[in-house]
Amino acid sequence: MSLRLLQALDAVAAEGSMTRAARTLNLTQQAVSGQIRQLERVVGTPLVERRPTGIELTAAGEVLRKQGAALLSSAQAMVTEARLAASGRRDPLRITFKAQSTAHFMPAVEAALRAEAPDLELRPIASHTLPEELDALVSGRADAAFLWLPIGDDPRFTVHPLIPEDRWVALPPGHPLESRTSLRVADLTGVPVIGPRDGMPAAVVDFWFIDPRPDGTRAVFGPQASTPEECLHLVAAGHGCWIAPASTVTYFAHPRLTWLPLVDAEPNVLALIWPKHSADPMLHLLLEQTRRALTPLPTATTAERGMNTV
């Protein structure tokens, strides 16, 4: 039994896929499959099963993952304590983030980090756009970043997906769609979409603006804006709509806008990323505590969708 085998099982369970688990662990798919088979030989029973929806743990696998989590946590705590003992008061752990994306879980994460590593200082660095976040990591101004996927085909970073969020649409006052209780992508045909584009990889722009649409039509690009406040101002002024994650709806209130859930759009996925060359054990502690603190945001129920004017 080794910790790396337990880490492989945990990653496969979290991702529901050998391929995605391999990406998380920076291994090949064959290596992860081999580690799962090795762990199954140690335990003497199957631990995973393949289903149409992805890979799921067997009852034995669930037990091993739960008990293994305690071992992994203990091992990480040991590394953390040793690291702090060796260096005394370490440099701050600098995290770049968007406030609206992390406000619902970061206080709990910081409290957990203080409890486990009292000498660790977490220093937040606010950002607005993906290029800002990636530049902070590449330049060394930040150690890690909470950001929305995708980030484009960029091999410089280790990416840990955390949580999916439904997408919502902000509409200007008096818009013909504002009386709806929900929207579909097809409803936005011809409606300009506001948001940042300059400096963004093409795949990232395509995802955020949903371009092209499922029926093959192209999105209409509205004015560019870098910050949520700018996006909300442009929407309120009637220049178009803004498509944003669900956490944005609860963080930013605006007296003139209507928010509606976009029920058939691919969800946003929040991730924690850091440079691949980083060997700071504090980053793994941050990841562990974040995953513990996160709970999925509720999806829009019929009742909630009738109360969407903010």
Side-chain angles (χ1 to χ4, degrees), residues 78-273:
M78 175 182 65
V79 172
T80 300
E81 187 173 346
R83 173 70 171 82
L84 291 171
S87 62
R89 186 173 180 83
R90 57 156 284 132
D91 293 335
L93 190 62
R94 300 159 303 168
I95 311 297
T96 183
F97 71 105
K98 297 182 182 71
Q100 69 272 22
S101 306
T102 60
H104 59 292
F105 66 84
M106 275 309 294
V109 172
E110 291 197 40
L113 288 173
R114 284 195 299 270
E116 189 152 350
D119 291 333
L120 175 63
E121 178 187 352
L122 198 65
R123 181 170 296 174
I125 302 173
S127 62
H128 297 297
T129 66
L130 177 64
E132 287 180 15
E133 292 168 313
L134 298 185
D135 180 69
L137 295 177
V138 172
S139 66
R141 290 184 290 108
D143 302 299
F146 286 105
L147 48 69
W148 294 105
L149 301 179
I151 63 171
D153 186 15
D154 198 325
R156 295 174 295 176
F157 305 106
T158 298
V159 178
H160 300 278
L162 295 172
I163 189 171
E165 287 190 20
D166 291 343
R167 288 207 251 187
W168 287 61
V169 180
L171 295 172
H175 194 278
L177 295 173
E178 71 175 358
S179 62
R180 301 280 191 92
T181 57
S182 65
L183 296 176
R184 305 184 74 83
V185 174
D187 296 326
L188 300 180
T189 299
V191 180
V193 181
I194 294 164
R197 298 190 301 277
D198 288 345
M200 299 282 199
V204 176
V205 173
D206 291 347
F207 177 84
W208 281 94
F209 288 79
I210 316 179
D211 183 47
R213 302 292 163 78
D215 62 1
T217 59
R218 304 307 300 262
V220 177
F221 294 114
Q224 293 205 57
S226 297
T227 70
E229 291 85 355
E230 291 172 356
C231 290
L232 292 170
H233 171 80
L234 289 170
V235 174
H239 293 288
C241 71
W242 180 36
I243 304 173
S247 54
T248 301
V249 183
T250 58
Y251 191 85
F252 287 104
H254 194 289
R256 292 173 53 81
L257 302 186
T258 296
W259 284 99
L260 295 173
L262 194 57
V263 297
D264 62 342
E266 185 178 351
N268 292 110
V269 175
L270 186 69
L272 176 63
I273 81 167

Side-chain angles (χ1 to χ4, degrees), residues 10-21:
D10 184 68
V12 169
E15 301 294 343
S17 161
M18 293 286 184
T19 301
R20 290 194 295 272

